[in-house]
Amino acid sequence: MTDDVGTVLPQGTGTPVTIPGPIFAAAVDTFVAGQRLDMRSLARRAGVARATLYRRAGNREQLLDQVLWWRARLLLADQVRASGHLTGTDRLTAVIDGVLRAIGADRAVRMFLESDPETALRVLTGSRSAVHQGMVAALENLIDLERGRGAFDASLETPTLAFAIVRVADGFLYSDVIADRAPSIRRAVIVIEALLHGLDLGHRTPVAAGLREPCLARILPILLRG
């Protein structure tokens, strides 16, 4: 469903309009090549003064944030299109699984995490980053899309659910940097799928609902910390 991409990502998948094309393209090329984004070198490559670069693109961390969020939007759009034949929890799980697997296989992201873990975590998971805020907002839109179609009816408000899912995903996807534990996308998807199924009022029996609610009530406060 092509229209769904516009609903999930109302800002589209284009490059940031606030950053000149040559500057942004040079930043993307540098990042994809696994090289450190050095603002002095980037200014030379883009043919602009450093003062102009900072004025038009922000500082290094802000520019990296925009590069990563643009690339994440492309991944999200691909997964929304690929999951158009699914509905409800199945679609939500498929999109999340596809995005996590793509990020997990992204060599440039992995090199960024290895070479500059503190900056990488701030950009990828920081509550003020465009990446984190954008991912949460896109997931909110997808959840509401499935709610509106009657395919998903969670017993939890959309913003809280989307935030919890993103935090669970981050915890498993970047666990080697956060907690010195091997990343596991499979486990992340299992936890997220269980959470979605457990909260979906429209697709569970009364007995199952009674069994799951206490467990979810204990788990959610833990997921929402930080």
Side-chain angles (χ1 to χ4, degrees):
M1 298 182 184
T2 305
D3 291 342
D4 287 357
V5 173
T7 301
V8 175
L9 293 166
Q11 66 273 66
T13 57
T15 57
V17 296
T18 57
I19 302 176
I23 292 175
F24 193 75
V28 170
D29 289 346
T30 300
F31 180 81
V32 171
Q35 300 170 1
R36 175 181 171 81
L37 188 64
D38 177 77
M39 299 299 275
R40 185 190 300 272
S41 299
L42 183 63
R44 285 199 302 268
R45 183 171 179 177
V48 298
R50 273 202 299 165
T52 301
L53 176 62
Y54 280 100
R55 185 173 66 252
R56 302 300 301 274
N59 60 35
R60 174 176 179 266
E61 197 162 310
Q62 291 169 329
L63 182 53
L64 281 166
D65 197 13
Q66 289 301 317
V67 168
L68 283 158
W69 173 225
W70 173 68
R71 297 179 83 235
R73 279 185 281 132
L74 296 178
L75 293 180
L76 281 163
D78 286 345
Q79 295 306 317
V80 170
R81 293 188 190 99
S83 64
H85 62 292
L86 301 172
T87 61
T89 296
D90 289 341
R91 187 179 198 190
L92 295 171
T93 304
V95 170
I96 293 164
D97 179 62
V99 169
L100 292 183
R101 291 188 185 282
I103 294 173
D106 192 319
R107 176 177 170 272
V109 170
R110 180 49 49 185
M111 292 181 71
F112 183 32
L113 283 162
E114 292 174 355
S115 64
D116 193 354
E118 291 186 4
T119 302
L121 285 181
R122 281 198 302 271
V123 172
L124 292 166
T125 71
S127 59
R128 296 181 181 180
S129 75
V131 175
H132 171 75
Q133 293 180 356
M135 284 291 196
V136 172
L139 188 52
E140 286 181 19
N141 292 337
L142 183 59
I143 290 169
D144 282 341
L145 184 65
E146 294 304 306
R147 280 189 194 267
R149 290 172 174 166
F152 182 69
D153 182 20
S155 58
L156 187 67
E157 66 273 15
T158 297
T160 301
L161 178 56
F163 178 82
I165 289 171
V166 170
R167 283 310 190 201
V168 170
D170 288 346
F172 282 95
L173 187 58
Y174 309 121
S175 59
D176 55 334
V177 181
I178 296 172
D180 196 23
R181 180 175 179 177
S184 178
I185 293 168
R186 182 183 66 83
R187 289 176 180 169
V189 174
I190 288 172
V191 171
I192 292 168
E193 186 174 20
L195 178 64
L196 291 170
H197 277 294
L199 291 170
D200 190 358
L201 297 172
H203 297 83
R204 57 181 179 171
T205 65
V207 173
L211 290 174
R212 285 172 174 161
E213 287 291 356
C215 179
L216 288 168
R218 292 193 299 270
I219 291 173
L220 279 173
I222 298 173
L223 299 180
L224 297 175
R225 287 175 187 166

